[in-house]
Amino acid sequence: MEEGRGDREKCTDGGWTAQRASNGGVVVGGNGDGDGDDAGKSLRRIVRLFFACMVAGGIQGAGGIQYGWALQLSLLSPYSQTLGISHSYVSLTWICGPIAGFVVQPIVGYYSDRCTMKMGRRRPFILVGCLIICISVMVIGFSADIGRHLGDTKEHCSTYNGPRWSAAMVYIVGFWFLDFANNTVQGPARAMMADLSAGRHGPNVGQSIFSLWMAIGSVVGYLSGANGKWHEWFPSLKTAACCDACANLKGAFFTAVLLIVVSMSVTMYLADEVALDKQDVGASSGSGGGGCAVFVDLFKSLKNLPPTMFRVLAVTAITWLSWFPFIQYNTDWMGREIYHGDPQGTAAAADVYDAGVREGAMGLLFCSVALGATSFAIPKLCRKLTSKVVWSISSFLVFALMAVMVVVGTVSMRGYRPSLAAGLTGPDPTLKGVALAVFALIGIPQAVLFSVPWAVASEVTAEEGGGQGLAIGVLNIAIVVPQLVIALTAGPIDGAFNKGNTPAFGVGGAFAFICGVLALIWLPKTRGVSNAAVVAGGH
C-alpha cells in the first residue's frame, strides 16, 4: 500500500479543500481548512470512523458479528458436549480455526489489497463473509433438528442424554464454515480499520475503536448467552430434538443474524472506500502472479522478515498460547469445576452444568465491560509507557488470573464426588464470586490483546513498507499456530491428568509469565501513534 501518500483535490462546493489520503483507496481526511480542522469537524470524523467500523470491529469486535463470536466462545464448547463429543475431544473441534486462519486470511488479505471493485478493497469481502456467517450460525443452531432427520435417535431430548452423531457432524460442518467466514471478514476488517485511521489518528486509536466494538458486541452476546428465557419467549424454537438449552441457543443465534445484517449495512454505507485504480494495483499491493502468488509472497515475507517484525510475531504467538485455554474452556470451567455439572450426565446434572455455563456467560459479559472501559485508556498508556510495557504488564496480569483459576478450580473440586452430589444445592458462593471476579478482571488484559499487537504490527509495517492486508495475514500465522497447538494438546493433557480444565489453565499461566518477560526484552519501543495530532486518549 501507499500508506504515506496524500493527494489534494480542489472542490468548488463551498470553497474548501478535501485531503484524500490514498490508504488503499480509503478516505481518511476530512474537510480541511489550511493547517487543520476545528474540534467539531475532528469529532465528526471520529464519530464517522466509529460507526464505519461497526463491522470492522466485526469479527473480533463488531456489534453484530462479535455477538455471534461471543455466543461461539461461550456456548459452543458446552453445546458440542451435549451432542456426544467428550470433553477431551472438544478442543479438536476448534482445529478449523487455525486452519481457516492460515489458509483464508492470507489469501483474502492479499486479494483485498489488490481488489479494484467499485465498492472498494475491503467491503466486498466483508459482505460475502457476513452472509456466510449468517448461514453458518443457523446450521449450528438447527444441528440437533437436522441430525434427527438424518437418523439420530427419535427419543425426546428430555429423556435421552446419549450421543447424537449426525447432529454432531452437522454442527462440526457449520462450525467449520463459521470459522472460514469469520476469517474472510477478519483480515479485511482489520486492514480497513488500519486504512481509515492511518495518517491522522494513528494505529492505536483505530485498534482501540476496534476493541471498543468488540466489547459492545460481546456484552450483548454474552448477555444473550446468559439468558435462559429464549425458549419461553419463543416456544416454537423447542422441538423433540431440541430442548430448553438448545432452544436458547437458537434464539440467541436468530438475534445474531439480525445484528450482523444491521452492523454490516452500516459499515457498507459509511466506510468511504474509493475504488483502487487497476494501474495502481502493482505499486500498492506487491507482486502479481495469480492465486498462488499469495503464498509465495507470504513465505517471502517470512523468509525476509526483519528482526523487529520477527520479535513481534514471536511475542504474539506466546501471548496467544497463554490465552487459548481460557478462550476455549471458560464457561465449561464454570459449569464443571465451579457448579459441578455434567453435560453428558443425568438430566439434573446437565441442568446444573447449563446453569454454570450461563453464569460463565454472565462473567464474560463483565469481562467485556472491563474490555470496553480499558480500550479508552490504551492509547494514552502506550504513549506514556510504550506499547511493549503495556503488553508486558497485561501478560503478567493474565499469569496472575490464570493462577487464581487453577487454585479456585482445585479447591472447588477437592473432595467432590459425582456419586455424592445428588443433594448439591449450588456452587460455593465464595468460589463463585472469585470466579466471576476473575472473568471481569481478565477483560483488562484482553483489551490489550485485541489492540496493541495489531497496532505494533501496523506501525512496524508502515516503517518497513507493504500492504496492511498481507501484513495482517502474516501476523495471523502467529495466532493460528498457537491455536493449533492448544487444540491438539489440550485433549491429551486432559486425558493424562483427568483434572478437567485446570491443567490447561496452568499451561496458559506459564506461557503468560514467559510472554511478560519476553515482551520487555524483544518488542520494539513503539508508542502506536502517528506524528499527527491524536484525537483520542486525552489529546
Side-chain angles (χ1 to χ4, degrees), residues 168-204:
M169 290 303 300
V170 172
Y171 161 82
I172 291 172
V173 169
F175 197 105
W176 274 70
F177 271 98
L178 177 60
D179 263 343
F180 272 82
N182 283 341
N183 281 280
T184 299
V185 179
Q186 183 175 13
R190 286 281 187 184
M192 189 173 73
M193 174 56 81
D195 293 341
L196 288 168
S197 60
R200 181 178 297 272
H201 307 310
N204 261 340

Side-chain angles (χ1 to χ4, degrees), residues 338-350:
I338 305 302
Y339 272 69
H340 305 133
D342 185 354
Q344 297 174 342
T346 63

Side-chain angles (χ1 to χ4, degrees), residues 82-301:
T82 67
L83 301 179
I85 301 174
S86 68
H87 183 266
S88 59
Y89 289 105
V90 165
S91 63
L92 295 179
T93 64
W94 291 79
I95 288 179
C96 56
I99 293 176
F102 182 78
V103 174
V104 175
Q105 278 215 36
I107 293 175
V108 170
Y110 178 84
Y111 281 111
S112 73
D113 280 343
R114 301 170 62 86
C115 181
T116 57
M117 294 183 68
K118 289 185 178 180
M119 68 173 65
R121 288 183 173 188
R122 319 299 181 186
R123 286 185 290 181
F125 298 92
I126 292 173
L127 174 62
V128 172
C130 286
L131 294 178
I132 298 175
I133 288 172
C134 292
I135 296 172
S136 300
V137 296
M138 288 293 94
V139 169
I140 293 173
F142 283 89
S143 58
D145 299 297
I146 297 173
R148 181 181 176 90
H149 287 292
L150 292 178
D152 280 341
T153 179
K154 301 301 180 182
E155 290 187 48
H156 197 277
C157 54
S158 61
T159 59
Y160 180 77
N161 60 3
R164 290 175 282 176
W165 299 121
S166 295
M169 290 303 300
V170 172
Y171 161 82
I172 291 172
V173 169
F175 197 105
W176 274 70
F177 271 98
L178 177 60
D179 263 343
F180 272 82
N182 283 341
N183 281 280
T184 299
V185 179
Q186 183 175 13
R190 286 281 187 184
M192 189 173 73
M193 174 56 81
D195 293 341
L196 288 168
S197 60
R200 181 178 297 272
H201 307 310
N204 261 340
V205 173
Q207 297 303 334
S208 293
I209 292 176
F210 201 99
S211 181
L212 180 58
W213 271 117
M214 176 181 303
I216 294 172
S218 294
V219 166
V220 180
Y222 292 135
L223 184 61
S224 177
N227 174 34
K229 301 292 185 180
W230 290 108
H231 68 283
E232 297 179 5
W233 297 341
F234 305 100
S236 61
L237 296 176
K238 294 178 63 175
T239 65
C242 184
C243 288
D244 293 357
C246 173
N248 288 333
L249 185 72
K250 278 185 190 176
F253 273 175
F254 270 121
T255 310
V257 170
L258 175 62
L259 293 179
I260 289 169
V261 171
V262 171
S263 61
M264 176 190 69
S265 300
V266 172
T267 289
M268 298 295 289
Y269 178 74
L270 289 179
D272 286 334
E273 288 194 284
V274 178
L276 178 68
D277 196 298
K278 291 183 179 181
Q279 66 184 3
D280 294 332
V281 169
S284 63
S285 302
S287 62
C292 293
V294 57
F295 289 105
V296 173
D297 284 359
L298 179 60
F299 288 110
K300 280 183 180 177
S301 299

